[in-house]
């Protein structure tokens, strides 16, 4: 399998930002829910979300920084 190319600049979609904001407010999103709602795999691939101990997706510090950059 080849290396996945990531552009140096990440421009999140409105849906991706909304998902990150919901995670920041403490809403748990299971992997099944993420698939059902078509949550972008880009957030996971770039480290903005990660799986927690329960196996749900949780926002990372990098994800919180992305939200702050978009709001300023």
């Amino acid at each position: 399998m080849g290396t996945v190319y990531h552009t140096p600049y990440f421009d999140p979609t409105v849906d991706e930002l909304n998902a990150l904001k919901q995670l920041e407010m403490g809403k748990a999103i299971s992997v099944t829910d993420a698939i059902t709602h078509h949550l972008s795999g880009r957030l996971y691939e770039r480290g903005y979300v990660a799986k927690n101990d329960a196996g749900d997706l949780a926002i990372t510090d990098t994800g919180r920084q992305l939200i702050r950059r978009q709001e300023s």
Side-chain angles (χ1 to χ4, degrees), residues 4-63:
V4 176
Y5 172 75
H6 292 291
T7 60
Y9 181 74
F10 178 79
D11 192 17
T13 65
V14 172
D15 290 339
E16 289 171 333
L17 283 173
N18 286 336
L20 287 173
K21 288 177 183 180
Q22 288 184 19
L23 288 169
E24 185 177 35
M25 291 186 300
K27 180 183 178 196
I29 298 178
S30 70
V31 174
T32 305
D33 287 340
I35 293 169
T36 302
H37 298 296
H38 306 289
L39 181 67
S40 171
R42 298 187 324 155
L43 297 175
Y44 186 78
E45 291 170 358
R46 290 183 171 260
Y48 297 119
V49 296
K51 288 184 184 176
N52 63 16
D53 293 337
D56 294 332
L57 297 176
I59 191 168
T60 63
D61 289 337
T62 306

